[in-house]
């Protein structure tokens, strides 16, 4: 679908508009490095072109004087690159100190990469959600990064450096946004068929708004009353949906797939593969494999009637 290139371009562009102190430092280091490398490139190609022109063979001209060894030149071309490497080293260490300090004693957020979605836990409140990470603006969040299966890589270009998630070996980054907004994130390490559809969004909100969001998310789901949704809820609990998904306030507790307690409030489904609309939700339930080939959720061959009531129920999970 050409989305690989789309993601690459979006990442490249968004990484040029840093929205946290850490990414601003990384951006500056990048600009300084590009300037130095650009200058070296121009100097070297300039010298090569100049030498080609000046010393090219001409009819009747004698060979130029042959020189073997030149101490001054050798010292210059050793000292200057050394100085550049030392400069870049010092600047990099400085940037790392700002962009990548050590973790807090306890994480504010635990993000676990799964094939192919992100589990998001707030250990301090006990909240569990998926693929949408809310953070308060101006508050640095210490994030523990885990993987449930293979190597993934967590990257929100505008907010933080990228970091690999390694099964059995927690990694760490700091996540912070200076201004409210939505920041696109993606998995940036190939992790199987649906690597391209392992996206997420970081939503930065003013602290009071974030606190209200967290309180609302901690509420269990409200049992449906409308007939279709009631039938959908019963179907959900009878089918193997409950073997993988959790819905707060119901007997569904499994943690294999995304938590669905407040599914209807999310912007997208399938880790970014579709916008979260009733039509798209029905398409997904009808055959997830057609929407996101290779996804862990099988095609349950639901009838149209079953798809309708399941979607009606899931739409109540605000
Ligand atoms: Cu997960 Cu690529």
């Amino acid at each position: 679908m050409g989305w690989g290139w789309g993601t690459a371009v979006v990442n490249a562009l968004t990484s040029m508009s840093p929205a946290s102190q850490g990414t601003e430092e990384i951006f500056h280091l990048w600009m300084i490095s590009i300037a130095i490398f650009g200058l070296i490139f121009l100097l070297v190609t300039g010298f090569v072109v100049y030498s080609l022109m000046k010393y090219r063979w001409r009819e009747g001209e004698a060979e130029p004087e042959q020189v073997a060894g030149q101490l001054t030149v050798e010292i210059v071309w050793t000292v200057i690159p050394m100085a550049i490497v030392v400069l870049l080293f010092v600047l990099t260490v400085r940037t790392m100190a700002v962009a990548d300090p050590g973790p807090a004693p306890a994480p504010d957020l635990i993000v676990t990469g799964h094939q192919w979605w992100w589990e998001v836990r707030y250990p301090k409140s006990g909240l569990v959600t998926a693929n949408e990470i809310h953070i308060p603006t101006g508050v640095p969040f210490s994030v523990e990064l885990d993987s449930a299966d293979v190597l993934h890589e967590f990257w929100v270009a505008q907010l933080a450096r990228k970091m690999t998630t390694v099964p059995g070996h927690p990694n760490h980054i700091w996540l912070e946004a200076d201004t409210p907004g939505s920041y696109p994130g993606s998995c940036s390490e190939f992790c199987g068929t649906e690597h391209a559809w392992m996206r997420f969004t970081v939503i930065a909100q003013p602290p009071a708004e974030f606190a209200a969001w967290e309180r609302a998310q901690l509420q269990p789901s409200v049992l449906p009353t409308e007939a279709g949704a009631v039938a959908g809820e019963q179907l959900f609990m009878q089918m193997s949906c409950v073997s993988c998904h959790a819905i707060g306030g119901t007997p569904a507790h499994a943690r294999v797939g995304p938590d669905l307690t407040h599914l209807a409030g999310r912007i997208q489904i399938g880790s970014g593969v579709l916008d979260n609309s009733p039509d798209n939700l029905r398409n997904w339930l009808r055959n997830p494999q057609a929407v996101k080939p290779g996804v862990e959720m099988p095609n349950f061959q639901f009838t149209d009637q079953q798809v309708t009531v399941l979607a009606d129920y899931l739409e109540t999970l605000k």
Side-chain angles (χ1 to χ4, degrees), residues 114 116 118 151-153 187-191 195 198:
H114 292 253
W116 291 278
W118 301 91
L151 296 179
H152 301 278
E153 196 163 61
C187 178
S188 59
E189 173 142 341
F190 183 74
C191 54
H195 157 70
M198 196 169 158

Side-chain angles (χ1 to χ4, degrees), residues 97-302:
V98 177
D100 197 26
D108 299 296
L109 198 60
I110 300 173
V111 178
T112 306
H114 292 253
Q115 283 175 317
W116 291 278
W117 61 282
W118 301 91
E119 183 183 355
V120 183
R121 284 185 289 149
Y122 296 74
K124 287 169 186 171
S125 65
L127 171 60
V128 183
T129 180
N131 302 330
E132 276 175 35
I133 301 172
H134 288 240
I135 58 169
T137 48
V139 182
F141 257 36
S142 189
V143 186
E144 179 186 312
L145 291 171
D146 296 321
S147 169
D149 35 49
V150 300
L151 296 179
H152 301 278
E153 196 163 61
F154 182 88
W155 193 26
V156 201
Q158 284 171 279
L159 300 184
R161 58 171 300 195
K162 45 166 98 171
M163 179 57 84
T164 306
T165 71
V166 182
H169 177 87
N171 271 335
H172 175 268
I173 56 157
W174 286 94
L175 205 53
E176 182 178 7
D178 297 334
T179 42
S182 287
Y183 301 95
S186 57
C187 178
S188 59
E189 173 142 341
F190 183 74
C191 54
T193 338
E194 288 300 335
H195 157 70
W197 285 118
M198 196 169 158
R199 301 197 197 177
F200 58 98
T201 308
V202 174
I203 297 155
Q205 301 167 296
E209 229 174 82
F210 169 78
W213 172 83
E214 194 174 31
R215 270 197 306 278
Q217 292 285 310
L218 283 165
Q219 296 301 313
S221 66
V222 178
L223 287 178
T225 48
E226 187 264 323
V230 171
E233 196 251 355
Q234 283 163 358
L235 185 61
F236 188 97
M237 300 306 155
Q238 287 157 13
M239 296 293 299
S240 39
C241 312
V242 284
S243 316
C244 290
H245 295 286
I247 298 180
T250 75
H253 294 304
R255 288 275 172 234
V256 180
D259 185 292
L260 302 178
T261 310
H262 297 287
L263 172 73
R266 294 189 198 141
I267 305 162
Q268 292 174 314
I269 54 175
S271 208
V273 76
L274 291 174
D275 285 332
N276 190 5
S277 71
D279 269 348
N280 284 342
L281 190 57
R282 282 190 286 271
N283 279 337
W284 176 269
L285 292 167
R286 202 166 284 126
N287 185 3
Q289 295 297 326
V291 179
K292 188 171 172 174
V295 66
E296 297 284 315
M297 182 164 159
N299 178 359
F300 287 98
Q301 321 271 353
F302 289 127

